[in-house]
């Protein structure tokens, strides 16, 4: 498998760089959420979280899959596609962005009283920055991205600190954050324009039918919108129908595990970039690459899952204080979705232009979750809402893996490192359970520290084994 062996270093380095780019903003956000949850009254914190919940639902509508399409192609072909765009394409995109931005801004104005212009400009710039970031990743502008995001993260934190220390106001907070977002967007725009202008466009041998590109883009757009909705729609609905205090409890309990989505996204993007560099992909090469991705991701996902599951109460109290102890059951149920994150289920489908399959899975997942949400809420309260999305996510993963195996003409177990996963899952669970049990009499912060230390040792040990000893081998 020469392609896999030759590209292994690129896979790991690209994954790491993409992760680092997004690590610092996520870290700053985690610190701010933890701090604000402790310092603000629940109702005020709930109003603050409403802005981010609703932003996360609306901004993917503006992006509409453009960032996902960009990462699918090599830089030369991406430059060629950009050059092929007409003026009317930009006008239509502008109209679309204004319409979505206006809806978001009106919602913030009615809900929290923030003047219309602030959330309107915020979501437009935020979405445009997200698109530009994908372009810069394809153009390998990693240094610019890392430096810019480090500075952005520091500014993000300082703005939150300043506003909290000087008579807290949501209007002032998001006005200052808007300035920070605009500056980052302008830096990205300048570097993206320069990179695009200097990069040679693809030749005829890399021609892709426009119809195929449009079809893939539409399916990726629908998938991205629906997939983001599946992550945020429960929080969005609760933010509209329940009190700010209850919304704050659910928001904290159903938080995405920090950095884990970044790791999955980085690995998927790196795999796509590696596939994009080769014209003809053999099924065996693709299978080996996806097996490798699954093995590497499981080294991180499984220890994180068990550590957070066994230490769920300590984590919630440590991050958000004892006043959010009611979020522990929600957190516990939400964690059940983590093991399935040890695999990038749509990467192969995206590369093979099977957008219809991706869209069907995404729509099916959210429809099922919405159908289950109310009955499970009546049965189990807020944890039942979280459980509805756990169930639908597992069924979606099963659908994607069956379709991928069919396209590669291999059995399902051939593209999943099942033996590798079973060993890691069992050993990791036993070790962390023993540590948790042995430290149960200690203060919560010391017990959690021991659990985090054991988790870190397990992650590093398994990653060292996978990277240094298994290398490019793709056997399950």
């Amino acid at each position: 498998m020469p392609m896999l062996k030759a590209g292994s270093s690129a896979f790991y380095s690209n994954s790491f760089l993409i992760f680092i780019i997004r690590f610092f903003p996520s870290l700053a956000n985690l610190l701010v959420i933890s701090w604000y949850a402790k310092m603000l009254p629940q109702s005020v914190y709930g109003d603050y979280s409403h802005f981010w919940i609703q932003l996360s639902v609306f901004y993917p509508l503006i992006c509409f899959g453009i960032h996902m399409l960009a990462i699918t192609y090599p830089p030369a072909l991406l430059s060629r596609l950009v050059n092929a765009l007409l003026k009317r394409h930009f006008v239509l995109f502008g109209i679309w962005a204004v319409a979505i931005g206006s809806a978001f801004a009106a919602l913030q104005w009615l809900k929290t009283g923030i003047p219309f212009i602030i959330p309107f400009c915020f979501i437009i710039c935020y979405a445009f920055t997200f698109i530009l970031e994908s372009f810069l990743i394809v153009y390998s502008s990693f240094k610019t991205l890392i430096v810019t995001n480090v500075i952005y993260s520091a500014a993000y934190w300082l703005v939150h600190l300043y506003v909290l220390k000087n008579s807290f106001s949501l209007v002032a907070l998001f006005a200052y954050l808007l300035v920070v977002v605009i500056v980052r967007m302008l830096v990205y725009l300048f570097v993206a324009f320069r990179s695009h202008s200097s990069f040679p466009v693809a030749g005829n041998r890399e021609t892709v039918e426009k119809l195929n590109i449009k079809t893939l883009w539409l399916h990726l757009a629908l998938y991205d919108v629906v997939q983001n909705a599946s992550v945020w729609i429960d929080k969005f609905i609760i933010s509209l129908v329940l009190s700010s205090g209850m919304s704050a409890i659910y928001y904290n309990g159903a938080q995405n595990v920090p950095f884990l989505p970044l790791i999955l996204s980085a690995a998927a993007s790196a795999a796509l970039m590696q596939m994009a560099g080769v014209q003809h992909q053999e099924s065996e090469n693709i299978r080996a690459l996806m097996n490798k991705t699954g093995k590497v991701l499981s080294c991180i996902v499984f220890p994180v899952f068990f550590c957070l599951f066994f230490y769920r109460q300590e984590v919630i109290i440590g991050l958000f204080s004892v006043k959010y102890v009611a979020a522990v059951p929600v957190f516990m149920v939400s964690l059940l979705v983590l093991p399935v994150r040890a695999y990038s289920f749509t990467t192969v489908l995206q590369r093979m232009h099977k957008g219809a399959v991706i869209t069907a899975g995404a729509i099916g997942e959210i429809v099922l979750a919405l159908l289950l949400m109310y009955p499970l809420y009546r049965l189990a309260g807020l944890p039942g809402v979280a459980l509805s999305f756990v169930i639908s996510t597992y069924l979606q993963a099963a659908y994607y893996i069956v379709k991928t195996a069919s396209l590669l003409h291999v059995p399902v177990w051939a593209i999943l490192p099942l033996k590798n996963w079973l060993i890691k899952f069992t050993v990791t669970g036993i070790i962390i359970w023993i540590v948790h049990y042995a430290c149960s009499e200690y203060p919560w912060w010391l017990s959690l520290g021991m659990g985090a230390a054991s988790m870190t040792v397990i992650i590093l040990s398994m990653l060292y084994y996978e990277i240094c000893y298994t290398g490019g081998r793709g056997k399950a």
Side-chain angles (χ1 to χ4, degrees), residues 321-344:
S321 81
V322 71
K323 66 183 178 181
Y324 286 100
V325 71
V328 173
V330 178
F331 184 58
M332 179 187 70
V333 174
S334 298
L335 288 173
L336 298 177
V337 80
L338 286 190
V340 81
R341 303 302 188 198
Y343 198 82
S344 181

Side-chain angles (χ1 to χ4, degrees), residues 253-273:
Q255 277 284 329
N256 289 327
V257 176
F259 317 127
L260 207 55
L262 304 185
I263 295 170
L264 177 60
S265 175
S269 297
L272 276 170
M273 290 171 69

Side-chain angles (χ1 to χ4, degrees), residues 369-379 385 388:
L370 291 174
L371 290 174
L372 292 173
M373 183 186 295
Y374 183 70
L376 290 177
Y377 172 73
R378 297 287 296 177
L379 181 67
V385 177
S388 65

Side-chain angles (χ1 to χ4, degrees), residues 144-470:
T144 297
L145 288 168
I146 292 172
V147 172
T148 304
N149 275 300
V150 169
I151 297 173
Y152 168 82
S153 302
Y156 181 89
W157 168 258
L158 290 173
V159 165
H160 280 86
L161 174 63
Y162 175 80
V163 173
L164 189 62
K165 297 295 183 181
N166 294 272
S167 184
F168 181 82
S169 164
L170 285 177
V171 175
L173 174 63
F174 289 109
Y176 291 138
L177 287 177
L178 174 59
V179 176
V180 176
V181 170
I182 290 174
V183 171
R184 183 172 65 156
M185 181 195 69
L186 292 176
V187 172
Y188 280 9
L189 183 61
F190 172 77
V191 178
F193 180 78
R194 187 179 61 182
S195 299
H196 168 71
S197 301
S198 63
F199 209 96
V201 297
N204 292 331
R205 65 185 182 86
E206 293 182 286
T207 298
V208 177
E209 292 294 329
K210 289 184 179 180
L211 180 60
N212 289 340
I213 293 176
K214 289 180 181 179
T215 302
L216 177 64
W217 166 57
L218 289 174
H219 285 301
L220 289 178
L222 288 173
Y223 169 78
D224 184 57
V225 169
V226 175
Q227 197 70 1
N228 273 280
S230 73
V231 174
W232 292 99
I233 195 66
D234 52 340
K235 305 175 186 70
F236 180 75
I237 293 173
I238 286 174
S239 74
L240 295 178
V241 301
L242 296 182
S243 66
S244 295
M246 289 292 289
S247 177
I249 290 172
Y250 186 83
Y251 176 67
N252 285 348
Q255 277 284 329
N256 289 327
V257 176
F259 317 127
L260 207 55
L262 304 185
I263 295 170
L264 177 60
S265 175
S269 297
L272 276 170
M273 290 171 69
Q274 188 167 333
M275 290 180 190
V278 179
Q279 291 302 303
H280 301 289
Q281 297 287 342
E282 295 179 2
S283 174
E284 178 64 16
N285 283 336
I286 295 176
R287 186 195 71 83
L289 178 59
M290 295 311 300
N291 267 271
K292 180 177 70 173
T293 305
K295 289 179 181 180
V296 171
L297 288 175
S298 66
C299 294
I300 302 169
V301 172
F302 293 168
V304 169
F305 166 69
F306 281 112
C307 183
L308 293 177
F309 187 83
F310 290 131
Y311 289 91
R312 54 190 178 271
Q313 184 159 319
E314 293 89 340
V315 169
I316 291 296
I317 292 175
L319 282 177
F320 306 117
S321 81
V322 71
K323 66 183 178 181
Y324 286 100
V325 71
V328 173
V330 178
F331 184 58
M332 179 187 70
V333 174
S334 298
L335 288 173
L336 298 177
V337 80
L338 286 190
V340 81
R341 303 302 188 198
Y343 198 82
S344 181
F345 290 94
T346 60
T347 299
V348 176
L349 297 172
Q350 184 173 339
R351 180 55 186 162
M352 298 179 74
H353 282 216
K354 298 302 178 182
V357 175
I358 295 174
T359 303
I363 293 176
E365 188 244 3
I366 196 168
V367 169
L368 178 60
L370 291 174
L371 290 174
L372 292 173
M373 183 186 295
Y374 183 70
L376 290 177
Y377 172 73
R378 297 287 296 177
L379 181 67
L382 291 179
V385 177
L387 181 60
S388 65
F389 286 87
V390 172
I391 294 171
S392 63
T393 299
Y394 273 90
L395 292 175
Q396 180 197 52
Y399 170 76
Y400 282 149
I401 203 65
V402 168
K403 288 294 186 180
T404 300
S406 176
L407 288 169
L408 296 177
H409 306 292
V410 296
V412 168
W413 56 85
I415 55 176
L416 296 174
L418 295 176
K419 181 180 178 181
N420 182 281
W421 281 351
L422 181 61
I423 294 172
K424 289 176 181 173
F425 194 82
T426 303
V427 172
T428 299
I430 291 173
I431 292 174
I432 296 182
W433 178 81
I434 291 173
V435 173
H436 180 260
Y437 180 79
C439 299
S440 58
E441 300 299 322
Y442 297 161
W444 71 265
W445 55 267
L446 181 57
S447 176
L448 179 59
M450 295 295 291
S454 63
M455 177 193 74
T456 303
V457 170
I458 293 171
I459 289 174
L460 294 177
S461 300
M462 292 197 301
L463 282 174
Y464 180 78
Y465 173 77
E466 289 294 348
I467 295 173
C468 297
Y469 285 94
T470 66

